[in-house]
Amino acid sequence: GGMGIVESAVQRSLGRAVAVKSLRAPGRGEDDELRMLREAWLTATLEHPNVVPVHEVIVDPDRGPVIVLKKVQGVAWDTVVDDAAAARERFFAADLLVHNLEILMQLCQAVHFSHSRRIVHRDIKPSNVMIGDYGEVYLLDWGIAIALGDDPTGRLPLARESPGGVGTRAYMAPEMLDPAPGRCDERT
């Protein structure tokens, strides 16, 4: 990703494969570290089958924040969304449209759940959706997500303090292009 790198690792205490997300070393600063921590804290509040679970957050003196996540074996949706042969071979999908609609329905469940927690993702696109080897669907990369309500813990990035104009332009609603904070809500 733009801010961090994700590596495969083994969590020794449990002997399981995990994904480890950390900041890219060059140019790392306190703002980047806080953004990474906020992504971990926000993602951890979303315990849902279509959101990759956060197993642990560590602040390493040399690497900064390190997020330990479930390792998902699979492919990004953008690699199979328009490839009927790949969807058939990998997921036994007889009909590409039906396959994509089933993925979309699971994606909508993740979005609906996050909205019930007053959190807006702000970067939903096929490359941020992972399809596991057994058809499980995960909405990834909550790095620019925002909380619409107050957060007494001070851990979550708040909509009223977060600038607009972030995300992937091809997938942004018009109000998301406005650089002023607070323009996004669940309708976006």
Side-chain angles (χ1 to χ4, degrees), residues 136-188:
E136 64 275 33
V137 175
Y138 297 97
L139 179 55
L140 308 176
D141 197 357
W142 295 82
I144 62 171
I146 51 174
L148 298 176
D150 289 328
D151 173 33
T153 69
R155 290 180 163 205
L156 304 182
L158 302 178
R160 67 173 177 269
E161 298 170 357
S162 301
V166 296
T168 305
R169 292 201 180 277
Y171 296 95
M172 292 169 71
E175 66 271 17
M176 292 176 70
L177 296 169
D178 189 338
R183 292 288 313 266
C184 293
D185 63 22
E186 296 93 344
R187 296 170 295 179
T188 304

Side-chain angles (χ1 to χ4, degrees), residues 8 15 20 26 51 56-57 74 109 135 163:
S8 181
V20 177
V51 177
E56 189 169 5
V57 177
Q109 292 295 324

Side-chain angles (χ1 to χ4, degrees), residues 14-151:
L14 296 173
R16 67 177 167 188
V18 293
V20 177
K21 185 172 184 177
S22 59
L23 289 169
R24 293 184 181 279
R28 188 180 81 221
E30 285 184 24
D31 288 345
D32 291 335
E33 289 184 4
L34 180 58
R35 270 196 300 276
M36 179 75 80
L37 284 170
R38 284 185 161 173
E39 176 182 356
W41 294 328
L42 184 141
T43 306
T45 68
L46 300 173
E47 290 195 33
H48 187 272
N50 301 114
V51 177
V52 177
V54 174
H55 293 317
E56 189 169 5
V57 177
I58 303 161
V59 180
D60 181 285
D62 297 324
R63 295 176 71 186
V66 177
I67 306 170
V68 181
L69 304 147
K70 174 181 179 173
K71 182 177 180 180
V72 177
Q73 299 286 342
V75 296
W77 192 18
D78 66 338
T79 64
V80 295
V81 71
D82 59 357
D83 187 342
R88 186 172 38 259
E89 180 181 321
R90 186 166 188 112
F91 302 107
F92 308 103
D95 183 286
L96 184 62
L97 176 61
V98 171
H99 177 69
N100 283 326
L101 288 173
E102 289 170 352
I103 292 167
L104 182 61
M105 292 301 294
Q106 289 190 56
L107 177 60
C108 287
Q109 292 295 324
V111 172
H112 179 67
F113 180 77
S114 72
H115 290 175
S116 76
R117 299 293 192 264
R118 309 263 0 255
I119 293 173
V120 176
H121 188 279
R122 296 200 304 173
D123 201 20
I124 298 172
K125 58 186 178 184
S127 63
N128 279 342
V129 176
M130 181 72 110
I131 307 167
D133 286 340
Y134 299 97
E136 64 275 33
V137 175
Y138 297 97
L139 179 55
L140 308 176
D141 197 357
W142 295 82
I144 62 171
I146 51 174
L148 298 176
D150 289 328
D151 173 33

